[in-house]
Amino acid sequence: MNNLLVADSVSKNFGKFKALNQVSIGVPKGSIFGLLGPNGAGKTTLIRIINQITMPDEGHVYLDGQSLKPEHIKDIGYLPEERGLYKSMKVGEQALYLAQLKGMSKSEAKNRLKYWFDKLEIGDWWNKKIQELSKGQAQKIQFIVTVLHRPKLLIFDEPFSGFDPINANLIKDEILKLRDEGATVIFSTHRMESVEELCDHIALLHKSNKILDGKLNDIKRNFKTNTFEVGLQSSNSESVLSEIKNSFEVLPATFKNLNDDIKLNIKINESTSPNDLLSFLTSKAEVHHFVEVIPTANDIFIQTVQNN
Amino acid sequence: MNHLPLIIKREYLTKVKNKSFIIMTFLSPLIMIALIALVSYLSQINNDKKRTISVLDETGYLIDIFESTENTTYLKLTGLNLDDAKEIVKEKEDYGLLHIGNVTSLDDVGKNIKFYSEESPSLTIISGLERKVEKRLQEIKLQKDGVSLEQIDASKTSIDIAQESFDGEKSSKIDNIIKLAFGGIAGYLLFMFIIIYGNMIMRSVIEEKTSRIIEVIISSVKPIQLMMGKIIGTSLAGVTQFAIWVILGGVMLTIVSAIFGIDMAQVNTPQQEIVNQAMSAQGSDEVQAMAENILTAINNLPIGNLVVAFIFFFIGGYLLYSSLYAAIGAAVDNETDTQQFMLPILMPLILAVYVGVFTVIEDPHGTVSTVFSFIPLTSPVVMLMRIPFGVPLWQQGLSLLLLIGTFIFAVWFAAKIYRVGILMYGKKATYKELFKWLKY
């Protein structure tokens, strides 16, 4: 297995409350791994354990095959959900300080900061105090500080909150670029559309347990119901409709389309191939729309959580 | 990775560069000096004010004891009755009228003396007058019994009991006063230091929580490193501030006294003058002797022990309290929530100062003083006050050992609270909650 990070049956209790129950995940190298779950599922606890902020009661975490130890701090970049900066400290000083805490030398940190400040066109902020910046501007600094020491593993907890759409896009592109350069990303969010956009793998936590994980596409494959959205045009729609209903299981459709006479969701059983359905349809009417219904991350999330 | 130096540096620089810190550093000695200058200036004005006290002595026994001085003029009235005298003094707006009523028996003179004035007269002036009259009446009575004035003078004795321990160590009353002063200053300094800079540490922990930077930092350094860095950095800033205060205060005091020509040591008030007159027996020889006594007293102090003990107990006591302050900061969300936790910290500290001031003066080696100089939360202050009086080394050692032990426990405790508390937002910490955190 080529996993950068492995958590092996990790448990954590806070007093009587069990925050994590035997949770195991494997984060493949070079992937963007979505850590999902409703509020209070234990995501932050798991992330804090990976960051060695809290220690697990049971289980082990391995980074690059080695048991997690203090030296690994410099290999991890963490952008917590609860984040902020020293308000009365200057941007440059503060970024240098935080970079040095991650084990960078001062000159190295300075060079890397220059690069990032130029890249995001914020060079003139160096001597400003954080309290003079807007929330979004401060978030940018925070992002730079997180990725500055070129960690192998990046952990982002709701990285886009507080950003306008333009800046959110900018940050999203940077995350993708970092992934392409070899970094592995753990990404925790409640915004399913960004999961859809970014994640290759996901794990779903619910009530302290892991209830689902794997490649996003595999999961989707498992969740698909062999249902197809179908849009037809026919001068004789009534009879076509009843003929379809006699042969297949038909569900109401909600998709939007241009003036189709018949809009349907048709579910076929395992033995029928999509081609069979398509040829059946073409023989009856003019097919304008034929798409397999693929469950969204949102659907999977809601469905899985509700079933548990 | 050891980030302690880096954290200390940041904490130190942030404190030192902080605007209000700089303003406080330079303004406080200015305000202090201005206050001292104001007080001495006012007392000088007071000093320049001349008072006239009219004396109407119907007995004639006492009239010649009132000799005018630079600031107090005694106006001797004769041949007037009391009502006329009162009228005159009132019109002239003099300070007051001392009336010694006519009586037949010498024994009754003392019962018939009254002081009339517009406003109620100062206590020291009245007692100064009382002492004058007492002395004179005593002399007259003794003379009546056939004792001559020379005999009375010759009978005056001043006693200063010399003290010496069984080991041959000499001491005196002045010795004790000097010891008290040294111990008191050391203890009080520690007390002030803990209050001012402990609070600063607490605020700085709270700031990290409210600005939400804590989780970012904690993902890079161990909480205990951050806490120790904070405590040490803030203490260094405190030492810097104190040093600047001492230097600046000294310099400005010199300048101010040079400009205004105020000799702080010899600020003379009329009250003092009267007291001095009353104790007229004491001459300049005695002042000289007293100065010498003070010098020998200072020389007699166990200076080496004092300095070493001061350093250890100061650092130990300060670190113990500041780790508790840090724990409080970690347990709460904002400063208003700190109240409930402040009391248990302030109580032993205030108790220590009270014990130091009241008990150590009375009996530096008594049970109460000794016991409190061993209890870790009070020992730094109380022990520092006791040491000038000579405390056996084993006692100092044991007390220090207890202090260090408690300090280590307090750091462990504080680090636990700190580690859990800094990541708790919006939860109102109670003692029960804190106890639970210890087990996380």
Side-chain angles (χ1 to χ4, degrees):
Chain A
M1 275 290 273
N2 206 6
N3 283 338
L4 180 72
L5 181 100
V6 174
D8 183 16
S9 26
V10 170
S11 296
K12 178 74 188 174
N13 298 302
F14 292 116
K16 277 181 195 152
F17 175 67
K18 202 164 192 105
L20 286 176
N21 182 25
Q22 302 284 325
V23 171
S24 300
I25 57 165
V27 182
K29 230 169 234 172
S31 69
I32 297 185
F33 187 97
L35 186 60
L36 314 176
N39 298 323
K43 297 186 301 278
T44 306
T45 307
L46 183 59
I47 289 175
R48 282 179 182 168
I49 286 172
I50 296 170
N51 276 296
Q52 305 177 62
I53 292 172
T54 42
M55 298 297 136
D57 295 339
E58 285 168 45
H60 282 279
V61 182
Y62 303 92
L63 187 77
D64 234 353
Q66 291 171 306
S67 193
L68 208 58
K69 50 178 176 272
E71 289 77 64
H72 284 133
I73 282 172
K74 64 175 192 313
D75 296 326
I76 302 177
Y78 174 36
L79 184 67
E81 187 181 9
E82 293 282 5
R83 53 182 170 253
L85 296 160
Y86 289 113
K87 289 201 169 55
S88 53
M89 222 174 157
K90 284 181 183 153
V91 172
E93 271 173 23
Q94 176 144 221
L96 276 179
Y97 172 65
L98 293 172
Q100 286 180 75
L101 285 186
K102 282 287 187 190
M104 289 178 94
S105 76
K106 199 170 180 180
S107 57
E108 191 193 354
K110 215 171 214 166
N111 285 336
R112 298 280 303 152
L113 278 171
K114 282 242 165 66
Y115 164 80
W116 274 102
F117 274 49
D118 288 345
K119 190 173 185 179
L120 298 185
E121 295 169 355
I122 53 172
D124 53 330
W125 292 358
W126 188 270
N127 277 321
K128 278 191 182 172
K129 283 186 178 174
I130 293 293
Q131 59 201 7
E132 297 166 38
L133 300 182
S134 75
K135 193 183 169 199
Q137 289 172 327
Q139 294 268 61
K140 264 191 187 172
I141 306 292
Q142 196 111 43
F143 178 79
I144 294 173
V145 168
T146 310
V147 304
L148 191 73
H149 58 293
R150 288 192 257 206
K152 288 185 212 166
L153 178 65
L154 283 163
I155 303 174
F156 295 111
D157 200 345
E158 293 291 357
F160 304 125
S161 70
F163 279 122
D164 62 44
I166 295 168
N167 278 315
N169 241 339
L170 189 88
I171 296 299
K172 195 187 81 196
D173 291 344
E174 290 301 334
I175 292 176
L176 287 171
K177 231 181 270 174
L178 285 163
R179 196 263 317 258
D180 295 342
E181 287 165 14
T184 307
V185 179
I186 294 178
F187 180 48
S188 171
T189 185
H190 289 131
R191 302 215 306 210
M192 289 303 145
E193 69 276 10
S194 40
V195 173
E196 205 83 51
E197 251 177 303
L198 291 170
C199 296
D200 321 314
H201 287 73
I202 61 163
L204 184 57
L205 297 184
H206 181 45
K207 290 186 180 156
S208 320
N209 291 287
K210 184 188 76 181
I211 52 173
L212 185 71
D213 74 335
K215 267 191 170 157
L216 186 58
N217 284 344
D218 290 348
I219 291 173
K220 285 189 171 179
R221 218 162 282 142
N222 289 339
F223 272 76
K224 72 173 186 176
T225 50
N226 286 335
T227 307
F228 292 83
E229 290 177 348
V230 173
L232 304 171
Q233 278 185 7
S234 166
S235 50
N236 195 5
S237 52
E238 298 251 326
S239 68
V240 171
L241 193 59
S242 62
E243 274 185 67
I244 295 172
K245 277 182 177 165
N246 285 335
S247 318
F248 300 99
E249 187 185 344
V250 172
L251 307 161
T254 49
F255 64 90
K256 289 197 173 72
N257 211 352
L258 289 171
N259 58 32
D260 288 324
D261 298 332
I262 306 171
K263 282 198 277 185
L264 296 169
N265 274 359
I266 302 177
K267 190 172 177 179
I268 54 175
N269 50 36
E270 305 260 319
S271 56
T272 321
S273 86
N275 272 358
D276 296 341
L277 174 62
L278 192 57
S279 51
F280 176 87
L281 292 172
T282 44
S283 67
K284 307 288 174 202
E286 201 170 284
V287 179
H288 281 244
H289 183 100
F290 186 83
V291 179
E292 181 171 14
V293 176
I294 300 167
T296 61
N298 202 36
D299 297 334
I300 295 170
F301 183 97
I302 293 172
Q303 200 183 325
T304 317
V305 169
Q306 280 175 346
N307 287 342
N308 277 272
Chain B
M1 269 172 288
N2 186 13
H3 294 304
L4 198 57
L6 196 64
I7 299 169
I8 293 174
K9 194 176 137 204
R10 192 205 85 87
E11 293 295 332
Y12 179 79
L13 287 179
T14 340
K15 297 279 161 349
V16 172
K17 284 201 244 162
N18 183 287
K19 272 205 196 81
S20 58
F21 184 88
I22 295 173
I23 292 172
M24 276 308 288
T25 306
F26 289 97
L27 214 58
S28 302
L30 261 175
I31 294 172
M32 280 298 286
I33 297 297
L35 262 173
I36 293 175
L38 186 71
V39 168
S40 34
Y41 175 65
L42 288 179
S43 69
Q44 222 172 28
I45 293 179
N46 215 11
N47 202 11
D48 291 342
K49 203 175 112 188
K50 302 221 185 311
R51 291 201 176 98
T52 307
I53 296 173
S54 301
V55 183
L56 178 60
D57 181 9
E58 291 175 4
T59 62
Y61 284 125
L62 299 170
I63 193 70
D64 34 316
I65 60 170
F66 301 105
E67 282 167 19
S68 296
T69 62
E70 202 184 322
N71 295 322
T72 317
T73 313
Y74 292 105
L75 206 64
K76 291 160 192 173
L77 306 176
T78 39
L80 287 166
N81 66 23
L82 178 60
D83 289 339
D84 291 344
K86 276 204 280 196
E87 202 60 40
I88 291 169
V89 173
K90 202 176 166 188
E91 236 161 72
K92 277 171 63 194
E93 290 180 4
D94 279 350
Y95 189 73
L97 168 68
L98 183 71
H99 175 243
I100 300 155
N102 196 9
V103 283
T104 43
S105 154
L106 185 61
D107 291 337
D108 296 335
V109 175
K111 294 170 191 158
N112 237 335
I113 303 178
K114 253 189 190 152
F115 192 83
Y116 298 94
S117 63
E118 187 72 44
E119 291 148 14
S120 55
S122 104
L123 203 67
T124 37
I125 285 184
I126 292 298
S127 48
L129 290 172
E130 280 168 356
R131 228 162 301 145
K132 272 181 201 284
V133 173
E134 275 166 13
K135 194 175 158 227
R136 185 46 180 259
L137 284 178
Q138 195 179 20
E139 281 171 6
I140 294 172
K141 281 179 188 166
L142 283 169
Q143 273 175 306
K144 252 192 162 171
D145 292 344
V147 185
S148 78
L149 221 61
E150 290 76 38
Q151 279 173 313
I152 294 171
D153 276 348
S155 75
K156 266 186 195 141
T157 352
S158 167
I159 291 293
D160 189 3
I161 297 179
Q163 300 163 36
E164 190 172 324
S165 75
F166 291 121
D167 302 335
E169 209 177 303
K170 290 189 172 73
S171 63
S172 67
K173 242 183 348 205
I174 291 194
D175 256 7
N176 282 347
I177 293 169
I178 296 289
K179 282 170 182 172
L180 267 179
F182 266 73
I185 289 170
Y188 195 67
L189 210 62
L190 175 59
F191 174 75
M192 289 303 289
F193 211 84
I194 288 174
I195 299 246
I196 298 175
Y197 299 107
N199 254 307
M200 205 182 256
I201 289 171
M202 190 179 73
R203 274 202 304 274
S204 139
V205 176
I206 295 174
E207 188 218 328
E208 261 167 10
K209 275 190 88 173
T210 47
S211 72
R212 296 287 194 264
I213 193 178
I214 191 68
E215 201 162 347
V216 177
I217 301 277
I218 284 304
S219 67
S220 311
V221 299
K222 289 219 167 301
I224 188 150
Q225 260 184 33
L226 181 62
M227 191 179 87
M228 288 313 292
K230 240 176 215 316
I231 291 174
I232 296 171
T234 309
S235 319
L236 290 178
V239 170
T240 310
Q241 193 172 48
F242 248 78
I244 293 176
W245 279 347
V246 170
I247 294 168
L248 220 57
V251 168
M252 282 199 280
L253 205 65
T254 323
I255 293 172
V256 167
S257 46
I259 291 174
F260 293 99
I262 300 165
D263 195 343
M264 299 296 172
Q266 291 190 350
V267 174
N268 242 337
T269 61
Q271 284 89 340
Q272 264 180 340
E273 199 184 306
I274 289 176
V275 172
N276 285 346
Q277 278 174 15
M279 305 193 303
S280 56
Q282 295 196 340
S284 61
D285 291 356
E286 293 204 17
V287 174
Q288 182 88 35
M290 197 187 272
E292 272 169 23
N293 276 345
I294 290 174
L295 276 179
T296 40
I298 291 175
N299 280 334
N300 279 345
L301 284 177
I303 297 280
N305 184 356
L306 210 62
V307 170
V308 173
F310 179 75
I311 291 171
F312 278 109
F313 277 99
F314 195 91
I315 293 176
Y318 174 70
L319 288 182
L320 172 58
Y321 273 98
S322 46
S323 51
L324 294 179
Y325 269 105
I328 294 178
V332 301
D333 266 344
N334 53 59
E335 247 186 292
T336 43
D337 288 346
T338 60
Q339 304 299 342
Q340 54 164 334
F341 298 114
M342 292 299 282
L343 198 66
I345 285 200
L346 285 178
M347 284 253 280
L349 204 54
I350 291 168
L351 189 68
V353 172
Y354 271 90
V355 168
V357 169
F358 292 117
T359 322
V360 175
I361 288 178
E362 195 58 43
D363 186 3
H365 302 306
T367 318
V368 177
S369 308
T370 311
V371 166
F372 276 97
S373 67
F374 279 106
I375 299 173
L377 282 171
T378 56
S379 70
V381 172
V382 178
M383 192 53 107
L384 280 180
M385 289 188 171
R386 274 188 68 201
I387 283 175
F389 294 95
V391 177
L393 280 180
W394 71 265
Q395 282 196 12
Q396 295 183 30
L398 182 62
S399 168
L400 197 60
L401 221 61
L402 283 172
L403 183 64
I404 291 171
T406 316
F407 163 64
I408 291 170
F409 173 77
V411 167
W412 170 84
F413 167 83
K416 277 265 187 191
I417 301 286
Y418 196 87
R419 207 164 53 87
V420 182
I422 43 181
L423 294 173
M424 293 274 180
Y425 299 115
K427 218 178 194 177
K428 199 146 185 178
T430 59
Y431 283 109
K432 207 174 140 198
E433 196 84 30
L434 288 190
F435 186 69
K436 256 167 63 189
W437 291 1
L438 288 180
K439 292 188 280 187
Y440 280 7

